[in-house]
């Protein structure tokens, strides 16, 4: 007689009930889990605040007197010019935290656990990015308080109001959320949290420094200025300076500098749609 061995068929993974409502509920559950984890590790928020505060102090008090904005090297003018750039840099540098967090969840098997549950596929990444957005908002709030303490005064160059200032912070959070999806894609594409930390931040340095964040782009060589004027990061910085009433608005004829608010919205939404699609596709293929 020949023994016939049969392998029991693998049961299919449970699937979530279709629908936007289910996806939203699943995303909020994952976001809540990450926010609770954040409260248990307050160092995550603390270290996220220390770095931009150091940038504020260094650029304001070390480089402030040597930076020319328009026709002046007044440190007070540079201080008001600088803050929009520091705010934008802070929200984009949060990308590294998203990359490392997702890579850590992948390495520890938490993502595999989520996959075994009947939940919407994109909810894991959406919940993670929403929680990171909440952390970025807290960091931005603390940084704004620090900026006011060191002398940042909205409306120092042009009249503004509370609504415009809030609109500026809204653009910053939208840019930060869009960049978080780049971090999600990087976190899914590497094997360790250490690689995700390096890969999540190294490309941000040229993006933030080849811009109008820290120096007036009119002082750059023509080819560098062209790059800076069309840099998505520069569009948000220019829009924030316009809404905050800060000095140093670029006089470039480039379209993003002439219409910074629209350019900032278009760039951020485009980045969000493209990288969310790529990240969710990567997540599904690795399941």
């Amino acid at each position: 007689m020949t023994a016939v061995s049969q392998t029991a068929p693998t049961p299919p993974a449970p699937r979530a009930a279709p629908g936007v409502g289910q996806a939203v509920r699943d995303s909020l559950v994952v976001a809540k889990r990450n926010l609770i984890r954040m409260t248990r590790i307050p160092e995550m928020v603390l270290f996220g605040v220390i770095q931009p505060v150091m940038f504020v102090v260094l650029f304001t008090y070390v480089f402030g007197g040597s930076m020319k904005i328009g026709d002046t090297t007044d440190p007070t003018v540079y201080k008001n010019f600088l803050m929009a750039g520091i705010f934008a840099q802070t929200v984009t540098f949060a990308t590294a935290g998203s990359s490392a967090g997702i890579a850590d969840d992948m390495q520890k098997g938490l993502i595999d656990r989520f996959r075994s549950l009947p939940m919407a596929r994109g909810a894991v990444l959406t919940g993670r990015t929403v929680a990171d957005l909440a952390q970025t908002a807290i960091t931005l709030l603390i940084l704004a308080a620090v900026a006011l303490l060191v002398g940042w005064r909205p409306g120092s160059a042009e009249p503004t109001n509370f609504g415009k200032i809030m609109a500026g912070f809204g653009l910053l959070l939208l840019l930060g959320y869009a960049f978080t999806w780049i971090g999600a894609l990087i976190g899914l594409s590497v094997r360790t949290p250490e690689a995700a930390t390096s890969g999540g931040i190294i490309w941000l340095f040229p993006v933030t420094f080849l811009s109008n964040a820290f120096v007036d782009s009119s002082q750059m060589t023509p080819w560098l200025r062209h790059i800076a004027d069309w840099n998505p990061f520069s569009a948000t910085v220019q829009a924030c300076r316009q809404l905050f009433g800060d000095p140093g608005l670029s006089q470039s004829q480039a379209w993003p500098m002439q219409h910074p608010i629209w350019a900032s919205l278009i760039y951020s939404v485009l980045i969000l749609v493209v990288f969310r699609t790529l990240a969710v596709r990567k997540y599904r293929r690795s399941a």
Side-chain angles (χ1 to χ4, degrees):
M1 294 179 62
T2 303
V4 179
S5 61
Q6 294 183 342
T7 302
T10 303
R15 301 184 68 84
V20 177
Q22 180 67 38
V24 171
R25 284 192 291 273
D26 292 344
S27 299
L28 292 177
V29 169
V30 177
K32 181 180 178 182
R33 173 257 175 193
N34 284 291
L35 289 172
I36 292 174
R37 182 171 179 265
M38 185 196 313
T39 61
R40 292 173 179 172
I41 313 176
E43 305 94 287
M44 294 170 61
V45 179
L46 179 63
F47 291 146
V49 172
I50 289 177
Q51 178 177 303
V53 169
M54 289 176 61
F55 272 104
V56 171
V57 174
L58 285 173
F59 276 90
T60 300
Y61 296 105
V62 177
F63 303 114
S66 59
M67 294 293 189
K68 187 176 181 181
I69 305 300
D71 296 325
T72 181
T73 56
D74 185 344
T76 303
V77 174
Y78 182 68
K79 190 184 301 178
N80 287 299
F81 168 86
L82 174 69
M83 286 316 305
I86 294 290
F87 289 144
Q89 185 195 47
T90 300
V91 300
T92 53
F93 270 39
T95 302
S98 302
S99 302
I102 290 175
D104 188 51
D105 287 345
M106 292 279 288
Q107 189 180 52
K108 291 179 177 177
L110 183 64
I111 299 292
D112 291 333
R113 173 59 179 158
F114 281 137
R115 285 177 181 142
S116 69
L117 300 175
M119 58 191 301
R121 287 299 188 188
V124 174
L125 299 181
T126 302
R128 175 79 208 194
T129 54
V130 168
D132 289 341
L133 178 65
Q135 181 177 344
T136 301
I138 295 171
T139 303
L140 205 55
L141 179 64
I142 297 172
L143 184 60
V146 172
L148 291 172
L149 288 175
V150 301
W152 175 54
R153 295 293 178 267
S156 62
E158 296 180 359
T160 188
N161 55 49
F162 183 75
K164 289 183 178 179
I165 294 171
M166 290 298 101
F169 282 111
L171 288 179
L172 287 167
L173 290 175
L174 178 61
L175 178 72
Y177 188 63
F179 271 52
T180 298
W181 281 99
I182 302 178
L185 181 61
I186 293 172
L188 290 169
S189 303
V190 299
R191 290 180 293 179
T192 65
E194 292 79 9
T197 301
S198 301
I201 201 167
I202 193 168
W203 60 277
L204 284 170
F205 281 99
V207 169
T208 54
F209 281 88
L210 286 177
S211 73
N212 59 358
F214 305 108
V215 297
D216 184 353
S217 59
S218 66
Q219 300 175 24
M220 299 179 180
T221 57
W223 67 273
L224 271 180
R225 181 177 185 179
H226 187 72
I227 294 174
D229 287 346
W230 285 89
N231 184 342
F233 186 83
S234 295
T236 299
V237 173
Q238 175 91 340
C240 287
R241 285 191 182 124
Q242 180 177 315
L243 293 167
F244 293 159
D246 288 341
L249 284 175
S250 173
Q251 301 304 314
S252 169
Q253 296 302 312
W255 188 85
M257 296 296 100
Q258 291 290 316
H259 307 86
I261 296 176
W262 280 111
S264 176
L265 287 170
I266 292 171
Y267 275 138
S268 296
V269 171
L270 188 62
I271 292 170
L272 174 59
V273 170
V274 170
F275 283 93
R276 187 186 188 283
T277 302
L278 293 175
V280 172
R281 183 176 299 174
K282 178 79 176 176
Y283 176 83
R284 286 174 174 166
R285 286 183 175 177
S286 60

